[in-house]
Amino acid sequence: MLKLIFKIFLFLWLSAVIIGAFLYAPLAKGLGEYTRVLYFHVPMAWITVVAFLMSAIFSIFYLWQKNLIFDHYAVVSNQFGILFSLLATITGSIWAKVSWGAFWNWDPRETSIFILLLIYLAYFALRSAIELPDRRAALSAVYSLLAFVTVPFLIFIIPRVYSSLHPDPLINTEAKIQMDGRMLLVFMGALAGFSAFYLWMFTINKNIVQLRSQFEEKEF
């Protein structure tokens, strides 16, 4: 019953966010209708970091307890990390079109997310090259931890070290988007809603992994 209530609440919440983004929140100066992208681009980038962080945590658990279930959880987290980083890249390129004149400009922000995608795609290439489950899990866990070390640098540090056209409240005050109360309300609602959506999707996949693991144990 609680799961059903959560699903209904999440559906209504995300519906309210979408409606608010298009009908309630005002447009930012200079961006016009492209302001709507803000309420989807930033949450996608946020969830990307959360998903990769969760993968690193599960990798630590695997190296600590040597339980393959944590390796499976890490894989699921990395899959979602790549998915949401792609969504962040797509929504960001739409924003770049109106702000910078082209969908792709090799801006530090765009370049860093591209490198991050390559790093985590290599994670799955590594897994596909190793047949033994325990060895695959161990090497993948180490790689996942090393890969996450790059996340703060590629997402938060490098784009701020080099000159960027990307709006940044810390260093790029000219490009900073000024939010009024309605924009901030929808923005925070989007962050909370999409975070809950990620948690829901991860829980579903986590349950699938657990069922598959139990089934495999019964077979053997």
Side-chain angles (χ1 to χ4, degrees):
M1 184 62 181
L2 288 176
K3 291 182 179 180
L4 178 60
I5 294 175
F6 174 78
K7 293 177 184 177
I8 295 174
F9 179 78
L10 181 59
F11 172 78
L12 294 175
W13 186 285
L14 290 177
S15 298
V17 166
I18 295 172
I19 293 172
F22 285 92
L23 299 178
Y24 176 70
L27 303 178
K29 183 179 179 180
L31 285 177
E33 293 296 332
Y34 286 87
T35 307
R36 320 299 185 190
V37 179
L38 167 72
Y39 307 110
F40 304 96
H41 171 66
V42 178
M44 300 305 159
W46 157 250
I47 296 172
T48 295
V49 176
V50 172
F52 288 147
L53 172 61
M54 293 299 295
S55 177
I57 292 173
F58 287 128
S59 297
I60 292 174
F61 281 140
Y62 172 78
L63 294 174
W64 177 27
Q65 299 186 10
K66 301 298 181 182
N67 188 338
L68 284 174
I69 196 71
F70 293 118
D71 175 59
H72 297 316
Y73 294 163
V75 172
V76 170
S77 296
N78 277 333
Q79 288 173 340
F80 280 124
I82 289 176
L83 171 63
F84 281 102
S85 62
L86 283 172
L87 292 174
T89 302
I90 293 170
T91 52
S93 66
I94 296 173
W95 199 343
K97 175 62 177 176
V98 66
S99 298
W100 307 336
F103 288 108
W104 195 264
N105 303 268
W106 291 107
D107 183 82
R109 287 278 183 177
E110 294 175 324
T111 305
S112 62
I113 196 69
F114 177 72
I115 295 172
L116 188 65
L117 277 170
L118 292 180
I119 290 173
Y120 275 94
L121 286 173
Y123 168 87
F124 291 97
L126 172 67
R127 292 186 63 85
S128 65
I130 304 172
E131 294 184 1
L132 296 176
D134 291 335
R135 181 172 175 79
R136 179 174 62 232
L139 291 176
S140 298
V142 173
Y143 185 93
S144 185
L145 290 173
L146 293 175
F148 185 73
V149 171
T150 68
V151 173
F153 290 94
L154 292 173
I155 297 295
F156 302 110
I157 298 177
I158 291 179
R160 290 187 170 94
V161 172
Y162 297 96
S163 178
S164 173
L165 295 173
H166 191 282
D168 193 310
L170 296 180
I171 63 172
N172 198 351
T173 54
E174 292 184 0
K176 179 180 177 181
I177 297 175
Q178 300 293 334
M179 290 191 185
D180 70 357
R182 290 181 295 170
M183 290 180 67
L184 186 61
L185 178 63
V186 176
F187 177 75
M188 297 304 296
L191 279 178
F194 284 107
S195 296
F197 183 60
Y198 159 73
L199 179 61
W200 175 59
M201 290 193 300
F202 177 80
T203 301
I204 292 175
N205 282 269
K206 180 181 175 182
N207 293 337
I208 293 173
V209 168
Q210 289 175 339
L211 291 173
R212 185 183 300 138
S213 179
Q214 292 172 4
F215 180 76
E216 290 174 353
E217 288 178 359
K218 289 180 180 179
E219 281 189 331
F220 289 100

